[in-house]
Amino acid sequence: MSEHVNDSYVQRAHKEGYRSRAAYKLLEIDARDHILKSGMVVVDLGATPGGWSQVAASKVGGGGKVIAVDLLPLHPINGVEFIQGDFCDDSVLAQIENKLGSKKIGLVISDMSPNISGINMTDQARAMHLAELALDFSLLHLQSSGAFLVKVFQGAGFEEYIKLMRSYYARVVTRKPDSSRDRSNELYLLGTFKI
Ligand SMILES: C[S@@+](CC[C@H](N)C(=O)[O-])C[C@H]1O[C@@H](n2cnc3c(N)ncnc32)[C@H](O)[C@@H]1O
C-alpha cells in the first residue's frame, strides 16, 4: 500500500485527473507508436478503473468511439460506452458487436488481468487465456490497418503467444513502459498490419 501511495505515477495520476497510473503506460506507448488517432473506434478490454479509456476517449475525440468492457463497474467517462460483464461470455461479445454496428475497430487494447490466486501456474494460464481471447477478438473485428495492444505476462505460454501473434500480424513489437513497475513481469505486445 505504501509503495502505491509513494509511487510517482500514482501521485501524477491523482494530480492530472487520471483514474489509474495505468494511463501513463498507454500514453507512453502511444507517444512512441502513435496508435490512437482522432475519429477512431477503440475497444478497451479490462477497462476499470478507467485510465486507458480516459486516454483513448480524449485522443479519438467526438468523432470517434470508445467501447469499454470490464467485470467491475466503471464510473462514467465522457465519450466511453461501457459494458459490464465477463469478456469470456458470448453475451458480452454480442453487446460489443451491437454497439459497433457496421463499424470496424481501429484499435483493440487489452489490459485484462485475472484475479490473482497466488498459484503461479493457474494465474499465468488464466492470463494467457484472456490474452488469447483478446487476440481472437482483434482478428475478427479489427480493420486491416488496425492495431492490437495486449498485456501479457512472461512465463508459461508467453513464447507461443508471441509466435501466434506473429502469424497473424506482420509487425509485433514488445513494449515495457517506464510506468510499468520493474518487478512486474508484465509486458505489452503491439501487433500491426493484420496478415
Ligand atoms: C489492470 S486492470 C485494468 C486497468 C485499466 N487499463 C486502467 O487503465 O485503469 C485489469 C482489469 O481487467 C479486468 N478483467 C479481468 N478479467 C476480465 C474478464 N474476464 N472480463 C472483463 N474484464 C476483466 C479486471 O476486472 C480489472 O479491472
Side-chain angles (χ1 to χ4, degrees):
M1 184 61 180
S2 84
E3 178 194 41
H4 185 74
V5 172
N6 294 326
D7 182 316
S8 67
Y9 286 105
V10 172
Q11 292 169 358
R12 204 172 140 194
H14 191 70
K15 242 192 263 160
E16 294 176 4
Y18 287 116
R19 305 250 178 104
S20 63
R21 71 191 297 294
Y24 297 102
K25 300 180 194 175
L26 183 59
L27 283 166
E28 265 186 75
I29 293 169
D30 187 51
R32 179 166 178 183
D33 295 296
H34 312 290
I35 51 176
L36 283 160
K37 298 187 173 77
S38 169
M40 181 181 239
V41 177
V42 177
V43 172
D44 181 7
L45 304 173
T48 300
W52 280 27
S53 280
Q54 287 178 294
V55 171
S58 82
K59 296 264 179 176
V60 303
K65 194 185 187 75
V66 178
I67 301 170
V69 178
D70 205 288
L71 285 168
L72 303 174
L74 179 80
H75 288 297
I77 298 171
N78 252 342
V80 177
E81 297 179 33
F82 179 60
I83 298 164
Q84 185 173 358
D86 187 338
F87 180 63
C88 308
D89 286 353
D90 288 344
S91 65
V92 169
L93 280 183
Q95 288 180 68
I96 301 175
E97 284 163 2
N98 190 36
K99 284 192 185 291
L100 280 172
S102 58
K103 287 193 167 151
K104 279 268 179 187
I105 303 168
L107 177 67
V108 174
I109 49 184
S110 172
D111 198 23
M112 285 188 288
S113 345
N115 276 336
I116 299 301
S117 71
I119 304 165
N120 225 318
M121 241 173 65
T122 310
D123 293 337
Q124 178 67 8
R126 284 186 184 151
M128 290 313 311
H129 179 60
L130 290 174
E132 278 159 17
L133 289 180
L135 173 60
D136 288 347
F137 177 81
S138 77
L139 295 172
L140 258 182
H141 293 288
L142 261 187
Q143 60 194 42
S144 47
S145 59
F148 171 53
L149 177 70
V150 62
K151 174 163 71 185
V152 286
F153 295 89
Q154 294 170 84
F158 173 74
E159 293 301 334
E160 290 81 355
Y161 187 86
I162 296 198
K163 228 184 250 168
L164 191 64
M165 253 184 93
R166 292 211 158 108
S167 68
Y168 292 117
Y169 287 94
R171 180 170 184 262
V172 177
V173 294
T174 59
R175 296 286 179 252
K176 175 81 178 169
D178 284 347
S179 43
S180 172
R181 292 184 168 110
D182 284 345
R183 61 173 172 70
S184 162
N185 62 355
E186 74 179 14
L187 269 186
Y188 291 86
L189 298 177
L190 174 63
T192 43
F193 307 110
K194 225 163 56 163
I195 296 169

